[in-house]
């Protein structure tokens, strides 16, 4: 299939399947409903072959659960794990020893109010630094890359975990090395717990690693020896690197077993550049489930949905009541098809001749025969319909808990009346992504805000562009309004154009081409002196290609 036909086809599929999600529209367009059923059936068929048990956080080893009070050193090391069965994959990892046990990329556990006291020791040959994604800490402890740790050196972190309960995460943030280091394995989870969190676990009888399962969604490309391949062309360094294999918790083609009960998934999109359109499917249809939390913790109430986007850097907390499912067949976690809006054929991208479509290099799945193609799994382009994980239903003890009606005391978002600060997302035609026309300069604070100020930011993405998951360091924010959303977003949106996940506390908001998203940010913090942070796109290659700015919070 030619590139043009392929893209054209995907675009039509996106429109059709999105239409299928709207009650009423579904009945009026039997073609759409039929296409969706067919797509879901295909996904379920793909999942029947999934045979690798999902890696779960245990008491040691990869993703082992470790309280923050029980270690004082994190070593950044080169290591090796088995990702593809029978092959050793060299990776970069956070290595920790505690109580005689070894951990790689531990899933950290903290109670709100706990202290983090940890020394980062850099044992690789590149500068690195840990960024605690989503936590509100002072500039130095944020690990935003304005200071980095050279090879052989160390850095001490000391801060209080003041944030709401949620699943945060940690990853490298040394500018110039971020996409490569994250891709090669440097990333893991940080759970902060508070009273709301403990109440929810108690009410639903949830246990981390058993009935509450973290899912880290990543895409990777491997060579024939099982080594990770990261070799972006100039166009991919601009557009983003998308791997052809989908991994969950570094497991390819995974499955789990679950009883007929409420099960909780804490989902992180840890991919460099790929977004997912998540749904739980069974028997050719989407199952309803509940969105219970976002980046910055629990919503006020569970929201019933049947699909959601998740962009790089974002987290979602969801509850699935498997008693609603047919016990006779598995449930599949899927990424449904969508148009990734990579502005194919856009003629104002500026850096390519009309003969060569400027965004052609972003069509990641079209790289042709790669060594990975020999490994027998079909390649996954962004926006392709794909199975992520199969959930086999097993007989279980009777479970009579009900979905809670209240999760937290989170109040509705309000916007200050002052005029918004505009953040215009674009590109300069020279291979750089820009914010307000500027390319990242770590030495210059592109803007400053006053400590304690309540601001509205209007994030405006260009029409001919790519989606940008915009991540703010230092502060979380609330979404007030979406304007100019593309059809695939509008069809999932409610009042003021807001998506279900926009009801929560966010640190990363996905801004689609042509959209203007209004967010409210409270710049109050308890730290003395001026604080410097960064604001950037979490498509890691976009940030490296300039889509980041330094800002100062004036004391
Ligand atoms: Cu971006």
């Amino acid at each position: 299939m030619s590139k043009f036909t392929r893209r054209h086809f995907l675009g039509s599929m996106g429109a059709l399947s999105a239409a299928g999600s709207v009650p009423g529209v579904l009945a009026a367009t039997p073609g759409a409903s039929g296409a969706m059923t067919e797509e879901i059936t295909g996904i379920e068929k793909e999942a029947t072959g999934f045979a690798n048990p999902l890696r779960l956080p245990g008491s040691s080893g990869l993703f082992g659960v470790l309280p923050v009070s029980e270690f004082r050193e994190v070593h950044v090391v080169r290591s090796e794990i088995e990702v593809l069965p029978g092959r050793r994959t060299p990776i970069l990892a956070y290595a920790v020893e505690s109580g005689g046990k070894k951990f790689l990329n531990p899933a950290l556990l903290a109670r709100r109010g706990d202290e983090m006291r940890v020394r980062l020791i850099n044992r690789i040959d590149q500068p690195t630094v840990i960024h605690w994604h989503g936590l509100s800490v002072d500039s130095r402890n944020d690990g935003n890359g304005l200071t980095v740790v050279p090879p052989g050196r160390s850095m001490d972190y000391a801060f209080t975990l003041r944030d709401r309960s949620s699943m945060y995460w940690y990853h490298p943030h040394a500018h110039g090395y971020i996409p490569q280091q994250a891709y090669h394995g440097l990333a893991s989870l940080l759970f902060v717990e508070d009273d709301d969190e403990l109440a929810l676990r108690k009410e639903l009888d949830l246990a981390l690693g058993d009935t509450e399962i973290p899912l880290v969604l990543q895409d990777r490309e491997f060579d024939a020896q099982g080594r990770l391949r990261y070799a972006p062309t100039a166009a991919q360094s601009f557009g983003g690197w998308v791997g052809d294999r989908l991994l969950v918790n570094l497991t390819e083609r995974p499955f789990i077993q679950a009883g007929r009960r409420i099960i909780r998934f804490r989902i992180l999109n840890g991919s460099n550049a790929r977004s997912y359109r998540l749904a739980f499917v069974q028997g050719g249809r989407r199952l309803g489930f509940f969105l219970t939390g976002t980046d910055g913790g629990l919503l006020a109430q569970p929201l019933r949905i049947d699909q959601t986007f998740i962009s790089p850097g974002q987290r979602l907390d969801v509850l699935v009541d498997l008693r609603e499912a047919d016990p006779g067949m598995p449930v599949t976690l899927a990424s449904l098809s969508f148009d990734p809006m990579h502005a194919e054929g856009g003629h104002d991208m500026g850096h390519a001749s009309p003969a060569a479509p400027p965004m052609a290099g972003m069509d990641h799945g079209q790289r042709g025969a790669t060594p990975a193609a020999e490994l027998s799994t079909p390649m996954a382009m962004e926006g392709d319909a794909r199975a992520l994980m199969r959930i086999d239903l097993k007989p279980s003890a009777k479970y009579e808990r009900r979905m809670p009606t209240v999760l937290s005391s989170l109040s509705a978002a309000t916007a200050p009346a002052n005029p918004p600060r505009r953040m215009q997302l674009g590109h300069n035609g020279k291979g750089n992504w820009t914010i307000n026309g500027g390319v990242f300069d770590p030495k210059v604070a592109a803007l400053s805000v006053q400590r304690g100020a309540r601001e509205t930011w209007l994030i405006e993405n260009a029409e001919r562009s790519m989606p940008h998951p915009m991540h703010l360091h230092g502060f979380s924010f609330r979404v007030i309004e979406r304007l100019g959303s593309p059809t695939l977003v509008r069809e999932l949106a409610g009042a003021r154009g807001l998506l279900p996940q926009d009801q929560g506390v966010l640190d990363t908001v996905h801004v689609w081409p042509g959209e203007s998203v209004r967010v409210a940010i409270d710049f109050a913090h308890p730290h003395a002196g001026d604080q410097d942070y960064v604001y950037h796109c979490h498509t890691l290659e976009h940030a490296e290609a300039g889509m980041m700015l330094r800002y100062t919070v004036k004391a």
Side-chain angles (χ1 to χ4, degrees), residues 84 87 222-226 245 252 370-378:
L84 304 178
R87 290 182 174 82
F222 296 87
D223 68 13
Q225 284 74 48
R245 286 166 176 259
E252 195 192 27
T370 66
E374 298 158 18
L375 297 174
S376 85
T377 299

Side-chain angles (χ1 to χ4, degrees), residues 176 196 495 538:
D196 289 335
H538 219 284

Side-chain angles (χ1 to χ4, degrees), residues 18 22 74 102 107 160 197 223 258 276 312 316 327 331 360 371 375 399 426 433 442-443 476 524 553:
V22 179
V74 173
K102 291 184 187 222
T160 307
E197 172 61 37
D223 68 13
Y276 304 81
L316 294 173
V331 172
L375 297 174
Y399 178 88
W433 294 102
K443 295 183 291 298
S476 56
V553 182

Side-chain angles (χ1 to χ4, degrees), residues 262-387:
I262 294 172
I263 186 160
R264 184 181 189 189
F265 294 107
R266 316 283 301 265
I267 308 172
L268 161 68
N269 183 348
S271 310
N272 281 24
R274 177 189 290 268
S275 291
Y276 304 81
R277 181 181 163 206
L278 299 178
F280 294 90
V281 299
Q282 187 189 48
R285 65 184 184 96
R286 293 192 291 269
L287 294 177
F289 62 100
F290 293 86
L291 180 69
T292 44
T294 56
D295 298 342
L298 295 168
L299 301 176
Q301 293 108 21
L303 295 177
R304 183 147 177 113
I305 58 176
D306 69 359
Q307 56 180 307
T308 175
F309 285 102
I310 186 168
S311 66
Q314 291 188 316
R315 284 88 64 212
L316 294 173
D317 187 352
V318 306
L319 294 173
V320 186
D321 192 342
L322 292 172
R323 291 170 299 189
E324 293 179 23
D326 180 339
M329 59 176 103
V331 172
T332 299
L333 173 60
S335 185
L336 303 176
S337 71
F338 64 98
D339 177 357
M341 301 197 75
H342 290 186
E344 296 93 338
H347 40 70
D348 59 352
M349 299 301 292
H351 70 289
S353 70
M359 308 292 263
M362 294 182 196
D363 205 348
H364 316 278
Q366 300 287 347
R367 281 177 298 224
T370 66
E374 298 158 18
L375 297 174
S376 85
T377 299
M379 308 226 286
M381 287 169 49
E382 188 182 11
D384 274 3
R386 289 294 302 267

Side-chain angles (χ1 to χ4, degrees), residues 131-419:
H131 166 53
W132 311 98
H133 183 124
L135 296 186
S136 306
V137 293
D138 61 286
S139 175
R140 206 195 69 83
N141 282 296
D142 182 49
N144 46 41
L146 298 175
T147 320
V148 298
V149 186
R153 305 288 289 278
S154 67
M155 167 176 165
D156 290 338
Y157 291 89
F159 58 89
T160 307
L161 290 137
R162 298 180 300 116
D163 296 270
R164 302 178 80 223
S165 69
S166 195
M167 186 177 83
Y168 299 93
W169 65 301
Y170 59 103
H171 62 78
H173 220 289
H175 192 60
Y177 300 90
I178 301 170
Q180 301 90 319
Q181 291 184 358
Y183 184 85
H184 282 94
L186 289 179
S188 193
L189 306 171
L190 166 58
F191 294 91
V192 177
E193 300 172 349
D194 63 11
D195 290 342
D196 289 335
E197 172 61 37
L198 298 183
L200 177 64
R201 283 208 180 122
K202 189 162 180 232
E203 193 169 346
L204 294 180
D205 182 32
L206 298 168
L208 186 63
D210 178 21
T211 49
E212 174 178 335
I213 299 178
L215 302 176
V216 180
L217 310 181
Q218 293 170 320
D219 54 340
R220 295 291 183 265
E221 187 175 320
F222 296 87
D223 68 13
Q225 284 74 48
R227 290 174 304 205
L228 288 162
R229 185 172 175 274
Y230 185 81
T233 60
Q236 289 158 346
S237 294
F238 177 69
W241 173 266
V242 177
D244 54 8
R245 286 166 176 259
L246 305 183
L247 306 178
V248 183
N249 299 352
L250 295 173
T251 317
E252 195 192 27
R253 299 162 63 80
F255 74 95
I256 58 168
Q257 291 193 317
R260 301 198 66 229
R261 49 163 294 146
I262 294 172
I263 186 160
R264 184 181 189 189
F265 294 107
R266 316 283 301 265
I267 308 172
L268 161 68
N269 183 348
S271 310
N272 281 24
R274 177 189 290 268
S275 291
Y276 304 81
R277 181 181 163 206
L278 299 178
F280 294 90
V281 299
Q282 187 189 48
R285 65 184 184 96
R286 293 192 291 269
L287 294 177
F289 62 100
F290 293 86
L291 180 69
T292 44
T294 56
D295 298 342
L298 295 168
L299 301 176
Q301 293 108 21
L303 295 177
R304 183 147 177 113
I305 58 176
D306 69 359
Q307 56 180 307
T308 175
F309 285 102
I310 186 168
S311 66
Q314 291 188 316
R315 284 88 64 212
L316 294 173
D317 187 352
V318 306
L319 294 173
V320 186
D321 192 342
L322 292 172
R323 291 170 299 189
E324 293 179 23
D326 180 339
M329 59 176 103
V331 172
T332 299
L333 173 60
S335 185
L336 303 176
S337 71
F338 64 98
D339 177 357
M341 301 197 75
H342 290 186
E344 296 93 338
H347 40 70
D348 59 352
M349 299 301 292
H351 70 289
S353 70
M359 308 292 263
M362 294 182 196
D363 205 348
H364 316 278
Q366 300 287 347
R367 281 177 298 224
T370 66
E374 298 158 18
L375 297 174
S376 85
T377 299
M379 308 226 286
M381 287 169 49
E382 188 182 11
D384 274 3
R386 289 294 302 267
L388 298 173
M389 179 176 77
R390 194 184 69 240
I391 304 165
D392 291 334
L393 302 182
K394 62 179 182 190
S396 57
K398 192 142 180 75
Y399 178 88
E400 292 181 316
R401 310 294 174 97
R402 294 215 187 130
M403 197 59 63
T405 52
V406 176
L407 297 165
S408 77
S409 56
L410 183 65
S411 54
T414 53
N418 43 348

